[in-house]
Amino acid sequence: MPLARLKTFTLVGIDAFLVDVEVDISAAAVNRTTIVGLPDTAVKESTHRVERAMVNSGFNYVDDNILINLAPAELRKQAATFDLPISIGLLVASGQMSSDLLEEYAIVGELSLEGHTRQGRGTLSIAMEAAKVAGLKGLLIPRANAQEAAVVEQLAVIPVDSLSHAVSLLSGDLELEPEQCNVDRWFVEHGRYEVDFSDVRGQEMVKRALTIAAAGGHNILMLGPPGSGKTMLSKRMPTILPPLVAEESIETTRIYSAMGKLAHGQPLMAVRPFRSPHHTISDAGLVGGGSTPMPGEISLAHNGVLFLDELPEFNRRTLEVLRQPLEDGIVTISRALNTITFPADFMLIAALNPCPCGFRGDPRRKCNCSPQQVEKYMGKISGLLI
C-alpha cells in the first residue's frame, strides 16, 4: 500500500509549528496502530476517535499494522487536532481516496465519533504559520474556526464540516471555496464596551488621575475604603484607552485562541481585555507556567488592563514575579525541555484598603485598627513593587 504524507500543525504555547504526518500500512500477524513522534495523551487517543469517525462516515478502517509518524520527532505533539489529518492519511494509504492537493493544503481538525469536526484552539497562530510555509496554498480547518483563520488574507482557508466533506473537497468532488472575513465590519460591530467611563458620576480627582495614567500608559495604585468605587472605575479604564489597532488585536487574539477563550464565531479581539484574578491565584496562574507552559493572567491582559483588587491579600511571592514582566513587557518561562516567551505588555491597576478593616479615614465609619496592624497590613507589599 502507498505511504501517505500530508501536512498539519501543532501548538507549543501560543506558537504553531509545521508537522509532517506519515501513514504506513503493512500486513502483520498482529493488527495494531502505533503513533510515534512524541505524541501526548490526546494524540495517542486519536486512534480510537479516528476509527469510529471513519466507520461512521462510511469508510473502512484498515485491519492491518498501521504506523503513524509525526515529524519532527523531537517536537512534542499535543491537542486533538491531529484527528482529521490522520484520518485522511489512513484513507490515502489504504487506497480509499486519492488527492493531488495534499502538498498544497495543510489539514487541521478534531473529529467527533460521528465524523463531524469540532472547534479547536490556536487557529490564528496556525494560519499565520501556514502562510509562511513555501508551497502551501491553503488550510482545511473546522468550520467553527474558519472565520478566525480567514483573518490571514495570504492563505486560502477552506471550512470543513466533517470527514466525508474533507474527502470530497480533496478528491475534487466539491469545489474549494475559501472563507471570507470582513475584519473592518467585525471591529465596527463588536468594538464596543459593555460599560463606559462616562457612567461614573463624581470622583473627579480619581478620574483625572486615571485619565493621565491612560494617556501615558502608567500603572496606578488606588487606596480607599470599601464601596468608594475602586473596582467600578478600574473596570471602565479600557474604555478610555486608544482603540485596538490590527497588530495589537492579532497579538491578543493569538493568546486567547491558544487558551480556548475566544467566543464561538469570534475571529478577533475587538476591545482591550480586562482581567481581574482572585487573590488566591498561584504563580503559574498569574504569569503562566505548567509542565507544558501556557499563558497566565498577565498575558491574557496583554494590550489591556490587569486589575488586582485587595492587593495585600495576594501572596507576596506571587506579586514579586510581576516585576520583570512590568519592566520588559514579556514573560519568559523556562523548563528542562524548552523556553517559551509570552507577551505581557499590560497596564497594572491595583486597589487596596487603607487598613485591615478598610475604614481608616472614613468619616462615616470608625476604624478599630491599631498603628501596628496598619503597618503590618501595608508591609505585605514590597517597596520595590510599589
Side-chain angles (χ1 to χ4, degrees), residues 26 71 138 216 218 286 341:
S26 58
H218 304 299
L286 187 63
T341 298

Side-chain angles (χ1 to χ4, degrees), residues 75-132:
L75 180 66
R76 182 166 292 279
K77 320 303 186 304
Q78 55 185 356
T81 53
F82 287 88
D83 292 359
L84 187 56
I86 288 175
S87 300
I88 296 296
L90 284 170
L91 291 173
V92 172
S94 61
Q96 298 182 64
M97 69 165 286
S98 61
S99 175
D100 299 326
L101 301 175
L102 297 182
E103 288 294 324
E104 300 176 352
Y105 288 85
I107 305 170
V108 176
E110 178 184 352
L111 293 175
S112 69
L113 298 185
E114 293 179 323
H116 299 302
T117 56
R118 296 184 185 274
Q119 184 172 4
R121 298 183 176 187
T123 302
L124 182 57
S125 295
I126 290 172
M128 292 172 65
E129 186 62 26
K132 301 175 185 176

